Amino acid sequence: MHGTALVSGLCASMPRHFIMESSQKEHGIIPWKIHPPPKEKPLPRSGQSNGRQSCFATLKMFLMALSFAYFAKALSGSYMKSTITQLERRFDIPSYLIGVIDGSFEIGNLLVIAFVSYFGAKLHRPKMIGAGCLIMSIGMFLIAMPHFFIGRYKFETTIRSSANSTSNLSPCPASSDQTVPGAMDKPSIITSTGCEKEVGFSMWIYVFLGNVLRGIGETPVQPLGISYIDDFAREENAAFYIGCVQTIAIIGPVFGFLLGSLCARIFVDIGFVDMDSITIAPGDARWVGAWWLGYLIAGFITLLSAIPFWFLPKSMPIPDTRRNSKTFPEQSRFIKESPTEKKYGNEEPANFTEIAKDFVPSLKSLLVNPVYVLYLCVTIIQFNSLIGMVTYKPKYIEQHYGQSASKANFLIGVINIPAVALGIFSGGLLMKKFKLSVMGTAKFVLGTSLLGYVLSLFFFAMGCENATVAGLTVSYQGVKQASFHENALFADCNSGCICSVKQWDPVCGDNGITYISPCLAGCKTLSGSGKNTVFDDCRCVAEPGSSLGNDSAVLGHCQQREDCDRVFPYFLALSVLSSFVISLGGTPGYILLMRCIKPELKSLALGFHTLATRTLAGIPAPMYFGALIDTTCLKWGNNRCGGRGACRIYDTNAYRIVYLGLTLGLRTVSYFFCFAVLVLLKRQYKHKEKSDLANGTAEVHPLRKEESNSFNSEHLIRTADCYTGKETRL
């Protein structure tokens, strides 16, 4: 009984009995050895089993907490992607500013990545992860904050809000002979002065700062969480645990886009306005959903994920397999020892000067490796393409195919993301089954990428014609226009009205043509209220010589785009197929990066790779993609200060060429570097093969099984990070 009681308390007190013994025979590496309490007999095997179960329960708690944190950060990031058009319209900003906001996540990440990398393993890792989740939640709440200070959303409209309205103004105010077209567009000094003092102006800066905080908070979650599992789990179980945690994270983007779909259906000021007075629908270019609600929900979920980490220990009992091995937990995940580790030993940490002296030669050795440098160029160029594509894909579906933001987010969350996850998982399985060599892996990655590239070229053929908007894409007689100029908005049929060319309040005429406003449609009278308003006696709608009754218009765009309805299902099918094919090379490509560098430089290579891709792809790509997309805008809205706001309608053909052309153009350039990498690998592989045969070794040919499993799961989380941030392939 006395021995049983002693065993039951062994797990909790185990760290006190760790005694370090230095062994010169082990090249300066300190093995861990457990000494039982004095005057006690060896512990029974059954007691040891009970102790291990208790310790595993603590590790299992950490696994559950980390899985929830991964889910929360993936959900938050993907929800950010889903609200791009909502933020554009709510804050009246162009796409390039949205790109700045999106890139601010990477800026926040880079601000603290060096601190976390250096001090993370020395501090209380669970508490650092908890602090990161807490900062992420604060960032999410800060993003939502402007909604409560900016005031009610006021969109451009000329319609009476309710049947009780006493206003009976004509949509077409009469003009005198001295009135010139566009006279209503002259700015008011009083209005401009009041706008400068308005609280809501430039509130998008808070969204920018909130996303920076989100990037800062996300930094410690992945590296410290993975290293903690790798340190205190059994070696044979570490890859499985990491795979489980990161596989759960792929659910995050699915729920993030579904949450974005739900919130996009709800009007931004729900609960504070009479919905019967709202004259726009979710498909309207002025519609803004309850974007703030999703940020509050995601922030609360992230806040909950932070709580468990404050109750977890700084370290856990080291498993038997790691105790018996002659390495520290931190060293067990490296393929080979670094010569610099032997130089310093492990009894006391090396000072900064010694580390700096070895850092420069190591970095130089890394940057003179032609395979690594070329591979880095490939990933930077392709990540520019992928990040820009993912960031603006919901907007492309909305603008090009006439879908609402809610439907676009729903389709991406339900169809696209699972296809990417399945592709990455299948790529890992294929590697495991066929035991691909380094050259085999390189050919597999290039082959899947080229096949996906060829499939993506068919997107150019799946285009839609521009919507028929009088004065923008067609003339008032219905003839297609080659170019747009402001005077084209005026015609003889609306010359008797004082109309503003800056106003955007579209109506659909009986002739199937959309007009920018009832005034520019030449409508004289209106009946009904709210969404049921009907405009009559519209001179521009009535065709010459037509009978009475064909001169009315209703609110909203004309939806007669049958060509888009036919093409859209094929676009979705091709999008799923190309996403799956390209993602097959995700895991092999990441492992290929690991195998083209020296083992002792692996950590530095990965860190430099992450730094380069975040700095040269994660930050600039959304900005210049957004700036180029802005050049395809046909009609800009106006903010409350009279300046340029969000775009109301794009040139569909130009948008498709810019968006797809830039995406595939960057990938085209990357393939020149890909072929160069393949040639260099082939030369080095043949040279290494001859060297190994001469030395009687052949250990470098197959990829390691445990690496395949580990990096398969690693790339799954990078799938989530693309939709939260950045690194997947569509």
Side-chain angles (χ1 to χ4, degrees), residues 89 92 153-159 185 279-280 284-287 500-506 516-518 555 635-640 643 645-648:
R89 297 167 186 173
D92 279 320
Y153 176 53
K154 298 177 182 178
F155 53 89
E156 303 165 277
T157 183
T158 58
I159 314 304
D185 297 325
T279 59
I280 55 178
D284 195 286
R286 296 164 292 172
W287 176 271
S500 170
V501 296
K502 293 184 178 180
Q503 194 175 55
W504 179 263
D505 191 14
I516 289 179
S517 69
L555 290 173
K635 180 70 174 70
W636 289 96
N638 297 280
N639 58 33
R640 279 169 283 187
C647 185
R648 300 306 186 192

Side-chain angles (χ1 to χ4, degrees), residues 90-93 146 149-151 192 194-206 638-645:
R90 186 63 184 96
F91 297 105
D92 279 320
I93 55 178
F149 299 99
I150 200 172
S192 299
C195 176
E196 292 174 359
K197 299 179 180 179
E198 193 164 353
V199 179
F201 194 64
S202 297
M203 289 291 278
W204 62 269
I205 294 176
Y206 289 94
N638 297 280
N639 58 33
R640 279 169 283 187
C641 292
R644 195 173 77 171

Side-chain angles (χ1 to χ4, degrees), residues 273-319:
V273 296
D274 180 11
M275 292 305 298
D276 292 334
S277 66
I278 305 301
T279 59
I280 55 178
D284 195 286
R286 296 164 292 172
W287 176 271
V288 176
W291 59 274
W292 54 273
L293 181 60
Y295 284 108
L296 292 180
I297 294 173
F300 180 72
I301 293 174
T302 308
L303 181 62
L304 288 179
S305 70
I307 296 175
F309 292 103
W310 299 97
F311 301 97
L312 290 167
K314 180 179 180 180
S315 61
M316 293 184 184
I318 301 175

Side-chain angles (χ1 to χ4, degrees), residues 18-20 30-34 318 322-329:
F18 287 160
I19 299 176
M20 295 184 293
I30 303 172
W32 294 96
K33 201 170 182 180
I34 298 179
I318 301 175
R322 294 196 186 273
R323 286 186 223 136
N324 296 332
S325 65
K326 296 180 175 59
T327 59
F328 283 117

